[in-house]
Amino acid sequence: MGGMLKGEGPGPLPPLLQQYVELRDQYPDYLLLFQVGDFYECFGEDAERLARALGLVLTHKTSKDFTTPMAGIPIRAFEAYAERLLKMGFRLAVADQVEPAEEAEGLVRREVTQLLTPGTLLQESLLPREANYLAAIATGDGWGLAFLDVSTGEFKGTVLKSKSALYDELFRHRPAEVLLAPELLENGAFLDEFRKRFPVMLSEAPFEPEGEGPLALRRARGALLAYARRTQGGALSLQPFRFYDPGAFMRLPEATLRALEVFEPLRGQDTLFSVLDETRTAPGRRLLQSWLRHPLLERGPLEARLDRVERFVREGALREGVRRLLYRLADLERLATRLELGRASPKDLGALRRSLQILPELRALLGEEAGLPDLSPLKEELEAALVEDPPLKVSEGGLIREGYDPDLDALRAARREGVAYFLELEERERERTGIPTLKVGYNAVFGYYLEVTRPYYARVPKEYRPVQTLKDRQRYTLPEMKEREREVYRLEALIRRREEEVFLEVRERAKRQAEALREAARILAELDVYAALAEVAVRYGYVRPRFGDRLQIRAGRHPVVERRTEFVPNDLEMAHELVLVTGPNMAGKSTFLRQTALIALLAQAGSFVPAEEAHLPLFDGIYTRIGASDDLAGGKSTFMVEMEEVALILKEATENSLVLLDEVGRGTSSLDGVAIATAVAEALHERRAYTLFATHYFELTALGLPRLKNLHVAAREEAGGLVFYHQVLPGPASKSYGVEVAAMAGLPKEVVARARALLQAMAARREGALDAVLERLLALDPDRLTPLEALRLLQELKALALGAPLDTMKG
């Protein structure tokens, strides 16, 4: 709406609003927050949007020919409001006054000094402790997907063959903002589906190819760089781009991460991550997340991780010591980025100093093998340069220590003398004039003044110049005071400028160590994760997993469920088998399936596991079809979603995969269900995958497959009603548990008795009927049947099979 502003009146726009509209129109996708004194203001329609979003009072800005809505937020509360606005899906352009109002000729100059979007934040106060990814997706030969975390400089990408693999990778990384290439933004069907699955801010950027490799990936990289450079005003600090291959890690589809509640709870609030997250630092927390996102496939690196965890498990004092020190550590990874971008504040350098003071103590605990870079020269520099508690902003002054910079010390000494003059002046003038109450004061309007109370007006010397009269006192000044005062002001300005110069020099020196800081951050993050995993292992009784070619878990537990309730541990042994788990609905089949998968996932992330003993194969992936991840929002039936998930499993699972199926075929009629469940079970058995299949279809327990194993979750009826043992035992469950559960749930006795009778009759009828069908078939001579007789016979056989008396047959 170039140049337009919602409002009333013949107008032209007054100069301030003219300036606002010009800036606003340069950033059409952003909400412009425009500094006016101590507030950020919006005008016109944007004011209405801001007021609605934050529940602010809408006022009006009125000039003689024009009135427009106005709303604003106080600058000191900016971060709290900015965080809320970003969460609500606003991008923010912040326009600051870039010259002091008193120096401005006419209108104060304003420029957009920062662009804030959810995926490109650097401000510690606005960032989550997790990685904060901006993602870009382009198409070409496959799907190009790239991620950038502006706050740490992490920059990586991959090419994916299928859309489901793309969604899995996105779900693993949970970006805060996504750039879609034009061909995707214009594809309505894709856009709808994408928005449903990922309710995240979608943004536009030029997809000009950058770097090496397949075109789709180069376009995604180009988009990330272009968009991040624009929001950062051109300056970016990046790690070298890393091509990664999801195939190099355990395959964890979105359905698996959801069903296992790795990062997000389905119900309740606990997740696998929340149980494991005993980390003490932000880089440690991010590293733990990335290990859980990408469990390893190679035995060597896994054993190396487990060795480090084990050392911390064994050496309690060392673990305690390291964890106590890490607690004091700042987020060095993000701090290094802010240093490289010249965005580090005095507070940041204070936090850096505190962090560097910990390194020698850590080295003393861990010995040289810690491999920490030697940053003591920088530590000493910061200790010498900065005051104990540096201010937030350089402009506040008072941040450089005495004795660090001779020039600054000289200026400060001169300023002290200047101020001392005014203290001595009070003594001197009291004596000279004989006015005992005379005092020297200071205020912002008049500067320094002499003050005399009413009883002594007669004694005021004639060279005093009156500057202000109050009801019982008067204020004066002397020419020499004005000169001295100007000198103090001049020194104060010089001190401010020199402090800033010194701060920038110190920051520049720290910046030269940014790479070493990143290296330290990397090593400390690993230490943090090893110590955290050891802490969890000791606190909750986990053991070190062993890797081999079979699965054997003794007294395994569910790491999340056991934190909330008493837990009955279970055993499991299998080798490329299809294990059927039967038992009543409430007895804990799903928990048993999930705990097996979680133990495997933990082991391959490099953690100890909740069991008394665990021997595991190295799985290439964990596939699940569990419970209600129903995409009903997407308009698909439960059954359809279930079949899509099963189709993906059958396409991708190998003999080294762990497959969990919970009640496949529930969404359709029971005959269809049994047929589908049987076919799926056979296919997975054929594939030799490690399969745990929880089912209530008894027909499956009798399948004649060589590597089929039956387990059941025990439940028993006791005087108090139903008791679930949650104990997993060999063999299929007893057949009639459905009716038993109904009885225990308190269905009336006569209804339960009738159900039992019907169940027996049906079972008997089905068996009797099948005998009759067989007899009839064996007595047949097919060669002598006419087509008509054959049809009659088929109908008769069907009736027999259904157990219907023959005289009711039609025809």
Side-chain angles (χ1 to χ4, degrees):
M1 45 193 249
M4 298 295 295
L5 187 64
K6 177 171 176 173
E8 324 222 311
L13 289 182
L16 178 82
L17 293 179
Q18 194 56 50
Q19 190 187 31
Y20 170 81
V21 168
E22 278 164 23
L23 278 175
R24 183 204 63 189
D25 290 349
Q26 287 171 33
Y27 298 93
D29 300 342
Y30 292 77
L31 180 71
L32 181 71
L33 296 173
F34 185 81
Q35 184 188 356
V36 183
D38 295 336
F39 277 78
Y40 284 126
E41 301 287 4
C42 288
F43 302 103
E45 263 172 62
D46 285 348
E48 295 172 345
R49 283 169 64 206
L50 182 72
R52 256 201 314 278
L54 296 176
L56 305 174
V57 178
L58 199 59
T59 55
H60 284 84
K61 168 100 179 139
T62 304
S63 66
K64 74 181 193 321
D65 297 321
F66 191 74
T67 299
T68 181
M70 167 166 110
I73 55 182
I75 289 181
R76 57 181 170 70
F78 168 68
E79 292 189 325
Y81 285 116
E83 189 173 1
R84 283 171 59 194
L85 289 167
L86 287 164
K87 280 209 176 77
M88 294 163 124
F90 286 92
R91 298 178 189 81
L92 308 176
V94 182
D96 285 313
Q97 296 176 186
V98 291
E99 59 178 350
E102 53 275 17
E103 291 171 23
E105 319 228 327
L107 201 55
V108 183
R109 264 210 340 277
R110 292 181 176 84
E111 281 167 21
V112 171
T113 54
Q114 39 179 350
L115 296 177
L116 301 179
T117 77
T120 60
L121 297 170
L122 271 178
Q123 292 73 358
E124 198 60 30
S125 49
L126 298 176
L127 279 164
R129 296 208 310 257
E130 290 78 357
N132 195 54
Y133 291 115
L134 174 69
I137 307 171
T139 61
D141 189 15
W143 301 82
L145 171 65
F147 294 102
L148 169 61
D149 181 340
V150 174
S151 72
T152 61
E154 182 188 359
F155 189 27
K156 63 179 183 179
T158 186
V159 176
L160 301 154
K161 287 287 162 266
S162 68
K163 193 165 64 176
S164 73
L166 169 77
Y167 287 164
D168 291 344
E169 252 345 81
L170 278 168
F171 188 76
R172 277 189 200 204
H173 289 85
R174 298 183 299 171
E177 186 176 359
V178 176
L179 309 174
L180 291 180
E183 70 271 17
L184 295 171
L185 271 176
E186 288 152 21
N187 175 341
F190 174 82
L191 208 56
D192 282 352
E193 179 182 39
F194 191 88
R195 284 217 162 100
K196 281 208 182 79
R197 293 187 80 127
F198 302 103
V200 48
M201 179 181 286
L202 296 179
S203 303
E204 296 183 46
F207 275 71
E208 297 298 325
E210 285 257 351
E212 312 285 287
L215 182 60
L217 182 57
R218 285 166 42 217
R219 291 178 63 215
R221 281 176 66 176
L224 287 180
L225 291 170
Y227 189 78
R229 282 205 183 99
R230 169 158 159 98
T231 60
Q232 299 308 316
L236 276 184
S237 151
L238 295 180
Q239 302 303 296
F241 180 81
R242 185 166 65 78
F243 179 83
Y244 78 100
D245 169 15
F249 304 101
M250 181 195 265
R251 184 97 165 72
L252 289 175
E254 182 181 346
T256 299
L257 288 174
R258 278 188 200 281
L260 298 180
E261 301 183 275
V262 177
F263 295 118
E264 288 178 1
L266 287 172
R267 293 174 282 288
Q269 57 293 328
D270 300 335
T271 60
L272 178 65
F273 181 68
S274 69
V275 170
L276 286 189
D277 183 25
E278 282 293 327
T279 56
R280 287 293 172 87
T281 69
R285 183 185 166 97
R286 292 194 289 271
L287 184 64
L288 176 59
Q289 279 183 317
S290 86
W291 284 10
L292 285 175
R293 266 205 294 274
H294 290 121
L296 305 176
L297 302 177
E298 305 279 317
R299 187 164 174 173
L302 276 174
E303 298 289 5
R305 277 185 191 178
L306 289 164
D307 287 343
R308 307 268 314 263
V309 176
E310 183 158 358
R311 179 183 175 196
F312 278 124
V313 166
R314 289 223 173 101
E315 301 183 33
L318 178 69
R319 182 176 75 249
E320 282 305 300
V322 166
R323 286 168 56 74
R324 209 174 41 247
L325 290 172
L326 288 175
Y327 221 27
R328 308 197 330 241
L329 209 60
D331 188 337
L332 290 181
E333 208 180 354
R334 283 178 175 164
L335 225 160
T337 300
R338 286 202 296 280
L339 274 174
E340 289 190 321
L341 293 175
R343 302 273 289 267
S345 68
K347 267 259 179 297
D348 283 335
L349 290 191
L352 176 56
R353 172 180 61 192
R354 193 180 65 238
S355 303
L356 295 180
Q357 286 162 343
I358 300 167
L359 296 190
E361 298 182 59
L362 276 169
R363 206 183 269 109
L365 272 178
L366 292 159
E368 273 318 301
E369 89 263 28
L372 285 165
D374 179 19
L375 287 156
S376 44
L378 178 58
K379 169 180 88 91
E380 284 151 24
E381 179 87 27
L382 293 172
E383 285 170 339
L386 293 178
V387 297
E388 217 19 70
D389 194 11
L392 212 55
K393 294 195 172 69
V394 186
S395 55
E396 292 173 47
L399 57 136
I400 304 298
R401 244 184 229 282
E402 293 282 326
Y404 177 73
D405 178 63
D407 296 354
L408 186 56
D409 290 347
L411 288 169
R412 283 175 170 164
R415 180 182 175 278
R416 273 196 296 276
E417 274 169 40
V419 173
Y421 158 84
F422 290 103
L423 300 174
E424 288 156 17
L425 183 70
E426 188 171 284
E427 286 296 293
R428 217 172 52 228
E429 288 299 304
R430 270 187 194 178
E431 284 194 11
R432 188 168 80 86
T433 60
I435 303 173
T437 60
L438 181 137
K439 53 179 222 287
V440 170
Y442 174 84
N443 78 19
V445 184
F446 301 111
Y448 286 96
Y449 55 77
L450 298 154
E451 184 175 278
V452 177
T453 51
R454 170 163 299 181
Y456 300 100
Y457 286 173
R459 297 192 191 175
V460 171
K462 60 180 185 311
E463 65 270 26
Y464 277 28
R465 293 207 191 127
V467 285
Q468 191 185 19
T469 303
L470 303 166
K471 66 173 194 293
D472 57 349
R473 65 192 71 186
Q474 268 186 326
R475 291 174 176 173
Y476 304 90
T477 165
L478 287 164
E480 65 171 304
M481 282 172 75
K482 279 287 150 229
E483 273 159 55
R484 292 291 187 131
E485 186 182 327
R486 270 198 295 279
E487 182 57 14
V488 168
Y489 287 159
R490 196 180 68 81
L491 287 166
E492 279 171 356
L494 288 172
I495 287 168
R496 258 206 310 276
R497 194 168 316 147
R498 182 62 195 153
E499 274 211 279
E500 186 168 347
E501 282 167 13
V502 172
F503 172 73
L504 293 176
E505 283 165 25
V506 172
R507 188 166 76 179
E508 194 51 41
R509 281 198 198 106
K511 175 178 171 173
R512 284 182 215 129
Q513 299 298 317
E515 267 319 297
L517 281 175
R518 283 209 160 128
E519 182 57 14
R522 195 183 59 70
I523 291 168
L524 294 168
E526 285 191 4
L527 271 178
D528 189 13
V529 173
Y530 293 129
L533 290 175
E535 179 70 22
V536 170
V538 171
R539 198 181 291 178
Y540 304 141
Y542 290 10
V543 297
R544 178 172 180 157
R546 309 275 166 214
F547 298 108
D549 48 7
R550 43 191 260 119
L551 183 146
Q552 189 177 9
I553 297 172
R554 211 177 76 237
R557 315 184 305 275
H558 188 300
V560 185
V561 175
E562 72 166 343
R563 302 270 45 83
R564 288 192 288 245
T565 59
E566 277 297 292
F567 197 87
V568 181
N570 295 306
D571 299 348
L572 175 63
E573 282 192 48
M574 63 192 296
H576 298 287
E577 284 165 312
L578 169 66
V579 175
L580 284 180
V581 187
T582 45
N585 270 344
M586 313 268 306
K589 296 192 296 275
S590 300
T591 305
F592 178 63
L593 264 57
R594 287 186 167 101
Q595 88 188 33
T596 307
L598 286 167
I599 286 172
L601 191 149
L602 282 174
Q604 284 178 240
S607 167
F608 279 33
V609 300
E612 275 172 25
E613 208 180 312
H615 292 266
L616 301 164
L618 284 167
F619 290 114
D620 60 13
I622 298 178
Y623 298 88
T624 59
R625 162 81 272 285
I626 291 185
S629 67
D630 303 342
D631 179 21
L632 296 178
K636 295 179 186 164
S637 70
T638 319
F639 182 60
M640 183 71 187
V641 174
E642 187 184 334
M643 289 301 105
E644 283 179 356
E645 288 181 11
V646 172
L648 180 82
I649 294 172
L650 292 174
K651 197 165 84 213
E652 303 202 350
T654 72
E655 63 173 336
N656 297 318
S657 304
L658 176 60
V659 178
L660 311 182
L661 298 169
D662 195 355
E663 303 283 18
V664 166
R666 259 185 318 196
T668 181
S669 75
S670 70
L671 279 174
D672 274 1
V674 174
I676 291 169
T678 305
V680 169
E682 288 171 352
L684 286 164
H685 175 273
E686 180 70 19
R687 180 103 19 126
R688 298 179 60 90
Y690 285 75
T691 307
L692 284 168
F693 196 145
T695 182
H696 59 282
Y697 294 134
F698 271 100
E699 292 84 345
L700 296 185
T701 59
L703 287 176
L705 300 171
R707 290 188 316 284
L708 171 72
K709 196 170 176 178
N710 277 300
L711 297 177
H712 69 282
V713 181
R716 193 178 301 165
E717 202 171 350
E718 292 188 358
L722 177 57
V723 174
F724 291 127
Y725 283 97
H726 296 285
Q727 188 78 49
V728 177
L729 302 172
S734 69
K735 243 191 177 163
S736 63
Y737 70 74
V739 174
E740 297 314 316
V741 171
M744 293 170 214
L747 246 63
K749 285 200 179 50
E750 60 280 12
V751 177
V752 174
R754 171 82 178 127
R756 274 208 183 101
L758 280 171
L759 187 68
Q760 279 162 353
M762 284 169 172
R765 194 168 73 201
R766 195 169 260 184
E767 280 158 27
L770 294 182
D771 292 345
V773 169
L774 268 176
E775 272 172 40
R776 188 83 180 73
L777 273 171
L778 292 170
L780 247 170
D781 181 354
D783 297 338
R784 318 230 329 245
L785 280 180
T786 67
L788 193 60
E789 285 171 332
L791 280 173
R792 279 238 172 85
L793 177 72
L794 278 176
Q795 279 184 313
E796 185 188 331
L797 287 173
K798 184 175 176 188
L800 277 173
L802 290 169
L806 289 182
D807 53 18
T808 61
M809 278 183 67
K810 300 269 181 295

